[in-house]
Amino acid sequence: MQLRTSVSVPSHQFRRLESQMKVGFIGLGRMGSGMALNLLKTGHDLTIFDTNPDAVAVLTSAGAKSAASVGELAGQVDVLFTSLPGPPEVEAVVLGEGGVVANMREGLVLFELSTSSRDLAKRIDEAMRAHRGQALDAPVSGGPAGAAGGDLAFWVGGERATFDRYASVLAAMGDKACYMGPAGTGIVTKLVNNLLGQMALSCMAEVFSMGVKAGIDPLDLWEALKLGVVGKQSIIQMLVKQFLPGNYDEPAFAMKLGHKDVALATGMARELGVPMRLSNLVMEEMTEALARGWGDRDTRVHMSLQLERAGVQIAVDPDRLACAIP
């Protein structure tokens, strides 16, 4: 899979596309309003719909046209973006009576920007194809500030050729568009991202609770942790040398030493009376790794136990990995 991490379109091609293309946008909440305004700023012919008249007024005052309904809008435009709260709203707007599929013009391309479900993304893809259109699941990451400033990532699943064809429209709203694969893969990426964030925060709460109960000021602890191995790099970067290539036999830090450190930390937590649910799970994983005779392998080798349980193998080709690392 080749990722497009940025979208660059020659200015003359961008102007030609925007002059020919009618763009629609449904869902003018905190994310959608910023993206829609950026479409207007880049000169796109934009028609909008939202149930909030105040949100519609902001966009029409900036130059957008408004449609009276979802169905009316779907019958007018060439490419349509939807930015909605979640799966129930997405299903109603796209697949429901009076929705996009029931009223679309032939050849419509839908970019569904919401954080939704993989199953729904696939059903939308099938429904759009049945009506001679196309759908791409393209959830975004960057928050309202990123939507307003154009600092957004799009993770896109669907037809690669269609992704490339509409690169200019995506570039009007965000500077980082990645093609992930077939229908549903954009949603998978977004859910992995959001779950990772929440899990990391839970881990932070757990270790900080232990450190603070042991008598350290929380700000002092935070400032100190910034100086260590974890604090100096993204946790994503910690996957590059061992986990992604599937090579744990040249240890940066031995499993037996990592196990010793986690045992000391969880033991201290018990003395302090601090519950450590996540840490105890990690301790179990590392103990199983030791029991398998992996003590001299890299400490990350315990991660392979989860891959084994899931029936997944990860061994990225070294050449691909080298190209992906800045």
Side-chain angles (χ1 to χ4, degrees):
M1 178 181 65
Q2 181 179 0
L3 298 186
R4 181 187 293 270
T5 55
S6 62
V7 176
S8 177
V9 180
S11 59
H12 67 279
Q13 182 181 350
F14 189 84
R15 288 192 295 270
R16 183 170 67 252
L17 285 170
E18 72 182 25
S19 66
Q20 298 171 347
M21 192 182 304
K22 293 184 178 180
V23 181
F25 206 106
I26 297 172
L28 303 173
R30 297 182 68 199
M31 294 294 293
S33 58
M35 289 186 278
L37 283 168
N38 283 328
L39 286 168
L40 285 173
K41 290 175 184 176
T42 48
H44 284 88
D45 180 355
L46 182 66
T47 305
I48 58 169
F49 176 80
D50 195 277
T51 56
N52 181 350
D54 293 335
V56 171
V58 171
L59 269 295
T60 53
S61 66
K65 293 172 282 189
S66 65
S69 67
V70 168
E72 179 183 304
L73 177 54
Q76 294 177 1
V77 297
D78 303 304
V79 57
L80 175 61
F81 295 90
T82 53
S83 179
L84 301 162
E89 294 82 4
V90 172
E91 181 151 17
V93 167
V94 178
L95 299 179
E97 184 178 350
V100 172
V101 171
N103 295 278
M104 58 182 270
R105 69 161 60 173
E106 186 174 318
L108 176 68
V109 173
L110 170 68
F111 282 85
E112 214 299 289
L113 307 177
S114 317
T115 301
S116 186
S117 75
R118 177 173 175 264
D119 172 71
L120 181 54
K122 289 189 167 187
R123 287 195 286 121
I124 289 172
D125 173 69
E126 292 171 0
M128 290 290 291
R129 287 177 184 276
H131 287 74
R132 297 186 179 181
Q134 289 189 59
L136 297 95
D137 47 294
V140 301
S141 181
D151 180 15
L152 283 180
F154 294 87
W155 294 310
V156 185
E159 290 289 339
R160 177 63 191 249
T162 306
F163 169 81
D164 290 335
R165 180 183 174 191
Y166 291 95
S168 67
V169 193
L170 293 174
M173 297 184 291
D175 58 346
K176 296 172 286 291
C178 300
Y179 178 73
M180 301 308 301
T185 55
I187 289 294
V188 170
T189 307
K190 179 63 184 291
L191 295 180
V192 167
N193 176 81
N194 287 13
L195 178 58
L196 174 60
Q198 296 303 323
M199 291 176 71
L201 290 172
S202 293
C203 290
M204 290 290 186
E206 190 165 287
V207 298
F208 265 75
S209 71
M210 180 181 71
V212 171
K213 193 159 187 180
I216 301 179
D217 176 84
L219 182 57
D220 290 344
L221 181 57
W222 178 77
E223 291 182 319
L225 292 177
K226 287 194 301 176
L227 306 177
V229 173
V230 177
K232 288 190 293 187
Q233 63 181 319
S234 163
I235 194 169
I236 293 295
Q237 291 300 119
M238 297 176 72
L239 305 180
V240 168
K241 293 184 178 179
Q242 292 85 18
F243 180 73
L244 288 178
N247 179 11
Y248 305 99
D249 294 325
E250 297 178 8
F253 189 64
M255 179 73 236
K256 59 188 177 185
L257 297 177
H259 182 274
K260 178 260 297 181
D261 291 350
V262 173
L264 288 169
T266 53
M268 180 177 68
R270 285 192 297 274
E271 293 171 4
L272 294 167
V274 178
M276 302 290 282
R277 296 180 181 179
L278 300 175
S279 302
N280 289 332
L281 287 173
V282 173
M283 187 75 234
E284 289 181 16
E285 294 286 88
M286 298 180 82
T287 299
E288 182 174 344
L290 272 189
R292 293 196 183 198
W294 295 347
D296 291 323
R297 303 180 77 186
D298 189 85
T299 190
R300 295 166 183 81
V301 71
H302 71 85
M303 299 170 73
S304 67
L305 296 171
Q306 171 61 23
L307 302 183
E308 181 182 300
R309 287 190 291 267
V312 170
Q313 292 185 341
I314 293 180
V316 177
D317 179 82
D319 291 336
R320 283 188 64 212
L321 189 57
C323 291
I325 301 171

